[in-house]
Amino acid sequence: MRHILKRIMVTVTALPFALGLSMASADTIRIALAETPSDELAAFFVALDRAKANGLDYEWTAFADEELAIQAVLSGQMHIGFGTPYAAMQRSKAPLRIVFQLSKLKFFPVTTKKYSMLEDLDGEPILLHSRGGGTDAIANVIESRLGIMFGDRSYVPGSANRVAALLGGRADATIIDLSNKNKLMRSEAGGNFNVLEMFDVEASDEALFGNLDWIQENEGDVQIFVNALLSVYRDMHEDPTMVRRETNPDGPIGQLPEEILAELDGFYADAVEAGLYSPDGGGRTAAMADLEWYTAAGQLEGDPSTLNIEDFWYLEPLDAAMQ
């Protein structure tokens, strides 16, 4: 019930921003999440708690998808957002910049037993998260690298919802995240599905970004935020169980169902082992991987070797945090 109440509160909180009204003082960082709080955001909220302890004043709003979060930052309604807004950065006059890689594109093609390799999906329908999102980009790159073409693409937000479609016989192929892949394959129904072999990806799935003018005008608060994120990511690689231990029981993650909280240790252990989170915030390595990936995915134009990472990333806060 608490989780349901939190979802309602988030919806109500988002409404004034949609109307263009201000709910916070200029000293409060407004953060646009691209989804409601989940196990994958637990480390992020631990970082927020650490940042708050060091003087950061913030509020967050959960938007329905990444595109809405990007638009909220573009419009100035929100200061910091979740996403990989490469197309918007290249096409918009607003100087959006990424400051931290939150997670990598570690997604997995999962199918019924009808298929045993990616090439088998040539001409076959596939279920993805959202048009223009991370799984759509993965599908584009699979097509480009393997010389195949998927059939109809359908979109259902949320890996758990796409797993439900598999289990219900409404889909035979999808791309899902690490957590839901592991849950499915460890379940009693796991033997009915295949995880197809996938090439390694270092590009960003989620990143933290903002308007460069705002970032530079608020460099102190941004530095506190990046310092906190980096400290959590490094500590998490040393001991993944620290996320569960430091999760505030009264916060948005602490209000999730107990069965989800009970799996946090396993989720973060699996995530660290799979390389989902970079212990150095991504930095230049992630920036270069992003330019190559999102060009191949059709979300950036030009030769990635000629693109300047500083047109997409602002690295000073992360460089300072690394010292």
Side-chain angles (χ1 to χ4, degrees):
M1 177 62 71
R2 289 189 302 166
H3 186 43
I4 294 173
L5 291 174
K6 184 63 177 182
R7 285 175 180 265
I8 294 172
M9 188 185 77
V10 170
T11 303
V12 173
T13 301
L15 181 59
F17 294 117
L19 297 175
L21 303 177
S22 175
M23 291 186 60
S25 69
D27 296 329
T28 300
I29 291 182
R30 299 196 294 264
I31 303 167
L33 304 183
E35 60 183 282
T36 55
S38 66
D39 50 2
E40 293 187 35
L41 294 183
F44 179 79
F45 276 96
V46 168
L48 279 180
D49 286 341
R50 289 189 181 185
K52 183 177 181 179
N54 283 307
L56 186 73
D57 188 16
Y58 70 87
E59 65 181 25
W60 57 269
T61 301
F63 290 84
D65 57 38
E66 179 178 312
E67 185 60 31
L68 291 175
I70 293 171
Q71 291 301 319
V73 176
L74 278 171
S75 69
Q77 294 170 345
M78 307 296 279
H79 300 132
I80 291 285
F82 267 46
T84 47
Y86 280 98
M89 285 190 280
Q90 192 172 58
R91 298 167 188 166
S92 171
K93 294 181 180 179
L96 298 182
R97 296 293 186 274
I98 291 172
V99 296
F100 197 92
Q101 183 193 65
L102 294 167
S103 62
K104 299 178 186 178
L105 271 169
K106 298 292 184 182
F107 282 74
F108 302 85
V110 178
T111 70
T112 60
K113 291 292 187 176
K114 289 174 62 176
Y115 313 108
S116 59
M117 62 181 64
L118 287 172
E119 288 84 352
D120 294 340
L121 295 176
D122 191 18
E124 298 295 304
I126 190 165
L127 193 61
L128 303 171
H129 175 79
S130 64
R131 194 179 305 275
T135 57
D136 216 22
I138 290 172
N140 290 345
V141 176
I142 289 173
E143 289 179 334
S144 176
R145 291 196 183 185
L146 300 183
I148 67 172
M149 184 69 66
F150 291 110
D152 292 338
R153 297 189 185 193
S154 300
Y155 299 96
V156 173
S159 283
N161 294 326
R162 297 196 297 281
V163 168
L166 286 177
L167 292 170
R170 301 187 300 276
D172 287 314
T174 188
I175 298 176
I176 58 177
D177 62 24
L178 173 70
S179 175
N180 283 283
K181 184 268 292 185
N182 286 346
K183 290 176 185 176
L184 174 63
M185 301 310 292
R186 291 169 182 168
S187 72
E188 292 183 2
N192 298 324
F193 301 97
N194 287 329
V195 179
L196 306 188
E197 186 174 352
M198 177 73 176
F199 44 82
D200 196 33
V201 179
E202 293 297 316
S204 303
D205 176 35
E206 294 285 4
L208 203 66
F209 69 92
N211 185 296
L212 180 60
D213 295 334
W214 181 87
I215 291 171
Q216 292 178 330
E217 290 170 2
N218 296 271
E219 59 182 359
D221 284 341
V222 173
Q223 194 64 59
I224 291 172
F225 201 176
V226 172
N227 287 351
L229 282 165
L230 186 65
S231 71
V232 169
Y233 277 50
R234 287 181 163 178
D235 289 349
M236 178 170 58
H237 276 77
E238 291 293 326
D239 179 8
T241 66
M242 57 77 54
V243 176
R244 177 71 176 96
R245 290 199 308 274
E246 290 196 29
T247 291
N248 179 359
D250 297 321
I253 303 301
Q255 297 179 45
L256 293 177
E258 184 56 41
E259 59 267 25
I260 293 178
L261 296 177
E263 294 178 358
L264 280 184
D265 286 351
F267 169 78
Y268 280 96
D270 288 344
V272 168
E273 182 179 1
L276 183 64
Y277 303 112
S278 169
D280 58 8
R284 290 167 181 80
T285 299
M288 290 304 301
D290 285 357
L291 296 186
E292 293 176 3
W293 177 268
Y294 285 102
T295 298
Q299 296 185 29
L300 277 174
E301 297 178 356
D303 182 344
S305 67
T306 66
L307 296 176
N308 184 357
I309 64 173
E310 293 183 355
D311 290 336
F312 304 93
W313 280 65
Y314 181 61
L315 292 160
E316 287 191 19
L318 186 55
D319 287 345
M322 293 283 289
Q323 293 177 1

